[in-house]
Amino acid sequence: MMSSTNSSSPSNIEIKYTKIFINNEWHKAESGKTFSVINPSTGEEICQVEEANRVDVDKAVEAARKAFEIDSPWRKLEPSARGSLMRQFASFLRRDIDYLSKLETLNNGKPVEESIADINVSADCIDYYAGWVDKIVGETIPFSHDSFVYTRHEPVGICGQIIPWNYPIMMLAWKLGPALACGNVVILKPAEQTPLTALYCAALIKEAGFPPGVVNILPGDGPECGNAIAIHEHIDKIAFTGSVEIGKKIQIAAAQSNLKRVSLELGGKSPLIICEDVDLDFAVNIAHRAIFNNAAQNCTAGTRTFVHAKIYDEFIARSVALTKKRVIGDPFDSNTKQGPQINESQFNKILDYIESGKKDGAKLECGGTRVGTKGYFIQPTIFSDVEDQMQIAREEIFGPVMSILKFDDYDEVLTRANDTSFGLGAGVITKDLTRALSFAQRLQSGSVWINDYDVICNQAPFGGFKQSGHGRELGRYGLEQYYEVKTVVIKLV
Ligand code: NAI
Ligand code: MG
């Protein structure tokens, strides 16, 4: 279903920041280059943004180094004062949520209501980590009667952070929260598709009172700016969210430069298993949300929906009915549930996957084509009779394509669910407690959701098994990427 109006790109959204943020100042690109930022709802340009390259990265590293010197204002700040700065930043995210949510929707295309939800969760994430600042503690370790052994958890140093376009503000909050809580300094590169809200956040960080050089935000592309961060000799750690392809490049770049610490949150091909004992509408709704949420531009998307043979036909019928009602269109219209895909290349890639599904013999139940003539809208699409070896069942589509696969044996479906190079999320819907727990134990993925899907909370760790990455974000575990452990041994003479 299309939403009624088409008034994307409201002209009243002022673009305030388009430059490179280094040392709490706005800079033009050293190269003199800018790049175009596109509104995915229309395909038209929103504005030009300064394009950082390796020279600008060097400049940011210099500022970050100064900010991290042992007697700098940032290093000398009491932990609780560091927490106050973080809470101030979080409060500014909430203060400006009206503007910021519209800017996010303009640049990313997600419905405004979802932008608002993302920003609230992001502010909560920063607050959550602000609560950790004075609780990052080492240990005293018994060793011998005449020595004293203890550990200190010290910041790693300059942290490069490269984030994607699907949750621009939230990914920024997930990265900054633990890094700042541990006392690090940061060089963050937003995705080239969605730099606008990150730059606005830079202004909020300055307003909150962070010392110059603690957070630097560099808009730029991957091969030039991102790679310059990944290979930099003086960047101590890199955190990346994005594709497996680039995750591998980051790990190689780290190894070939200074062996910087690497954490990676990559893609997925997550299974959702619907058992035969479920309440059907409950299961249909979860499976629908699991795939189509955020226009399916979601690393945890439940892209392989395994349905028990006994309920298979009815599950498909109800899923198709629900999906046909999904309102797609202008993300500024409050009825809209699904906006555009992020850009033309993602749009084309998804349509190619839909063609491959048809060619491979999956049954197209609904959707399958673009919506409208401008912007990057794709109908929510369902394939049934999908088989494990088909391309649409193996590769990350990152678009609104649900693949329904039939099963009738629980051991067999578990093997099939795990037969993937990914391992980010997995879901099971059943009323059988033993079966649920057994699946939770045997599914190879960083998160398992039972009778729900894609519930990600700031307090609990999130990350991947296998090629979905390594390292965890969020929760206490998320801090571990951002401190070094130093052992101090003192002879008691
Ligand atoms: P990408 O992995 O190329 O981009 C993600 C980030 O990495 C962006 O900031 C980009 O500028 C940066 N980057 C790109 N090349 C780089 C390089 N050589 N060195 C350092 N940084 C680099 O992802 P892209 O091309 O936007 O999307 C392709 C596919 O990746 C999607 O279809 C989807 O399957 C997956 N993806 C997964 C995401 C997740 O949440 N795990 C998010 C975005 C994309
Ligand atoms: Mg790419």
Side-chain angles (χ1 to χ4, degrees), residues 272-284 286 308 311 318 407 410 427-439 449-452:
L272 172 58
I273 300 166
I274 321 275
C275 303
E276 90 264 33
D277 63 352
V278 297
D279 174 282
L280 209 50
D281 282 332
F282 175 78
V284 163
I286 291 178
H308 194 280
I311 55 169
R318 292 197 203 181
F407 77 92
Y410 286 106
V428 185
I429 306 185
T430 180
K431 290 180 179 153
D432 182 330
L433 181 63
T434 309
R435 185 181 293 141
L437 291 175
S438 154
F439 269 73
W449 296 286
I450 293 167
N451 294 331
D452 211 334

Side-chain angles (χ1 to χ4, degrees), residues 165 192-193 222-223 243 245-246 345-346:
W165 41 263
E192 58 273 30
Q193 296 84 354
S243 60
E245 178 200 353
I246 304 300
S345 77
Q346 288 294 119

Side-chain angles (χ1 to χ4, degrees), residues 162-167 171 189-193 220-228 230 238 240-247 249-250 265-268 297-299 342-343 346 349 396-398 424:
I162 299 178
I163 60 173
W165 41 263
N166 49 348
Y167 292 91
M171 290 299 102
K189 191 194 85 62
E192 58 273 30
Q193 296 84 354
D221 77 357
E224 176 63 36
C225 182
N227 183 54
I238 189 157
F240 171 78
T241 301
S243 60
V244 172
E245 178 200 353
I246 304 300
K249 286 192 179 168
I250 300 265
E265 199 266 275
L266 309 175
Q297 301 172 137
N298 210 345
C299 48
I342 193 68
N343 63 12
Q346 288 294 119
K349 189 167 107 177
E396 183 169 56
I397 301 176
F398 234 57
L424 196 58

